[in-house]
Structure formats: structure tokens, C-alpha cells
Amino acid sequence: MVLDSIIQYIHENFVYLHPGYTLFNTIVFGIILGLVILLIIRMFRWIDKDPKDLFIPLIPFIFFGSSARALVDNGIYPLTYILVTPGIYLLTGFSAIFTLLASVLIERKTGWDYRYIIFTVGAVMCIPNIYYTQHLNPIALFQVLGSWALVSSPFILLSRKWSLLKDKFNLSILLAHLFDASTTFIAVDYYGYGEQHVLPNALTQLVDSAIVMYPLKIAVILPALYIIDTYVEDKTIRNMLKLAIFILGLAPGLRNFLSLSMGT
């Protein structure tokens, strides 16, 4: 009876066959994410690699997870535990970690650059998802990309003068989150979608528009990058934190982008 109750509680609060976030499970997922980051930092020290080097190689894995979730959203892939939260994150995360460790071993044995191996494996994993990602709505594509370009342009220009954004990694992190904001804004304001996360949903309802996502992202990401660059001296920790923030922006942004483009 106790075990059944625990399983039912986990299913209702942490497994999203019907997506939804609460303050409680948001906090729990945040704590779990923090613990996972600590473990991954130790892993990077063990293999003697810089997390920043994975900025580009991990993009196919991010696309894999996001596109798989978008295909579920549009009924192309089945609604199963492995393809929704937290299953899709576990599948993508473990695949990326296993590929990283295997590629480092291959590099040491053969001299092949582990970053190219990771990128190649991730790209191959994406092939089925790309095949089934069809009939994208050009209007929705243009709306998202156009709004993203409009909001991002001042920061791209500012990066020529502002030391914080002269770092291409920092600029890419901000642009990833502005992309996420653009997908949310267009989906909610123009296509009737809803915001699932607690704080963004509250703010969106307060101002009756998801355009609030832009100042919210800017107000959170820029100070976070400044604090990390200023106060985190350890390079591995600093770059792992940045990599995590980058993934947290690009992954939901790509999912929203593809779900909207396929579903409209």
C-alpha cells in the first residue's frame, strides 16, 4: 500500500503525460538539477575536459530531445513515459554522457577529436526526428525568427562594446534564452498556447501577454552571467554553469519552436 501510494504520488507530480508544473515540483526539479550539475562537474574533472568545449557538440543532442518532445506534442510519436518529462531528459542526458565518456576514451586510443565524435553521434540520432518533422508552417517560422532577430539585434551590437557579451559563449546563452522567449511570446499571444512554468505563467497572466518573457529573461540571464564571471573562479564550475544555462534556454526554445511550427 505504501509503495503504491509513493508510485502514484510520483506519477501525479513528476511524470507529465499531461504536462503541467507546480511550485513544488519546480523546486524539486531545481534541486535535482543542481545535484546533477555537481556530479557532472566531478565527471569533467575526472576526464580532464572543459565543459565549454561541448557548447557546439551538444547542440545535436539538444535538438534530439527537443524535436522528439515536439513530435509527441503533435501526435507523431506516441505519448510514452520515455518521451515526456522526465523520461526524455533522462534519455537525452544519459545518451550524451555515455557518448562523451566513450568519445574521450576513443580520443585517447586513436587521437580522434572527441568533440567531432560527440557531434556526429548526436547528428545521427537526430535523423529519424528530422525525417518526421514535416510541413512546418512558414508564417509561424517567420514570426518566431523575426521577433527573435528584432530583440536580439541590440545585444549583438552591444557585444562589440560590452565586455560581458564580447564573450561569444555569454552572447550565445543570452540569444538562446531570447529565442525561448520569442517562441513563448508568439505561441501564447498569437496561437492560443499556454505557459506551463509557474513564474512565467503568473507574469503572463498579470500583463495578459507573454511579451513579458523578454524582460524576464534579460533580467535573469545577464545578472547570472555577470555573477558567474565575476565570482566563480574555477573554470570547470564556471563553464559548467554556463553550459547548463545555455541548455535550459535552447532546449525548451527548440521544442516550442518545432511544436508551434508543426502544429499550426
Side-chain angles (χ1 to χ4, degrees):
M1 287 294 292
V2 174
L3 180 60
D4 290 340
S5 299
I6 292 173
I7 292 174
Q8 182 180 357
Y9 182 80
I10 292 173
H11 179 272
E12 292 176 350
N13 288 276
F14 300 107
V15 181
Y16 296 142
L17 288 180
H18 303 285
Y21 290 88
T22 65
L23 180 60
F24 173 67
N25 58 36
T26 298
I27 293 173
V28 172
F29 279 133
I31 293 171
I32 293 173
L33 176 62
L35 295 174
V36 170
I37 290 174
L38 290 175
L39 291 174
I40 294 176
I41 287 172
R42 297 194 60 150
M43 181 192 70
F44 274 109
R45 294 193 193 282
W46 178 58
I47 63 176
D48 194 26
K49 296 295 183 182
D50 186 352
K52 188 175 182 179
D53 292 339
L54 296 183
F55 164 49
I56 299 297
L58 282 182
I59 288 178
F61 283 91
I62 299 172
F63 180 86
F64 167 78
S66 299
S67 57
R69 191 65 184 88
L71 289 165
V72 172
D73 290 340
N74 285 278
I76 299 171
Y77 282 177
L79 188 65
T80 61
Y81 291 112
I82 196 64
L83 295 179
V84 297
T85 303
I88 189 61
Y89 294 114
L90 295 175
L91 174 63
T92 305
F94 282 127
S95 298
I97 291 171
F98 176 80
T99 303
L100 168 61
L101 296 176
S103 64
V104 169
L105 179 61
I106 293 172
E107 181 185 63
R108 291 173 179 174
K109 296 289 186 180
T110 66
W112 295 350
D113 192 317
Y114 80 108
R115 294 169 297 180
Y116 292 108
I117 299 173
I118 294 171
F119 187 91
T120 301
V121 172
V124 171
M125 289 173 59
C126 289
I127 292 174
N129 292 1
I130 294 172
Y131 175 79
Y132 287 109
T133 303
Q134 302 173 358
H135 309 298
L136 299 181
N137 185 334
I139 297 176
L141 287 171
F142 176 79
Q143 287 176 304
V144 171
L145 296 178
S147 60
W148 179 45
L150 184 64
V151 176
S152 298
S153 296
F155 294 100
I156 295 173
L157 294 174
L158 191 60
S159 67
R160 300 178 181 178
K161 300 292 184 181
W162 191 8
S163 59
L164 181 67
L165 295 181
K166 277 186 178 180
D167 185 327
K168 292 182 179 179
F169 197 13
N170 286 351
L171 179 61
S172 297
I173 292 168
L174 177 61
L175 295 183
H177 279 270
L178 291 178
F179 178 68
D180 182 31
S182 297
T183 62
T184 302
F185 167 57
I186 296 300
V188 172
D189 280 35
Y190 292 93
Y191 292 95
Y193 285 72
E195 172 57 57
Q196 296 176 8
H197 297 89
V198 178
L199 178 59
N201 180 53
L203 293 175
T204 297
Q205 292 186 12
L206 183 64
V207 303
D208 197 28
S209 172
I211 199 170
V212 73
M213 290 299 298
Y214 290 117
L216 177 62
K217 290 284 191 178
I218 294 167
V220 171
I221 299 304
L222 288 180
L225 293 175
Y226 175 79
I227 290 170
I228 291 171
D229 279 348
T230 304
Y231 298 105
V232 181
E233 297 180 358
D234 186 284
K235 185 176 72 171
T236 301
I237 297 176
R238 182 171 64 246
N239 288 337
M240 185 60 229
L241 290 174
K242 288 185 180 183
L243 182 62
I245 296 172
F246 174 73
I247 293 172
L248 289 173
L250 185 60
L254 280 174
R255 176 207 170 172
N256 295 343
F257 180 61
L258 293 171
S259 293
L260 173 64
S261 299
M262 286 189 287
T264 54

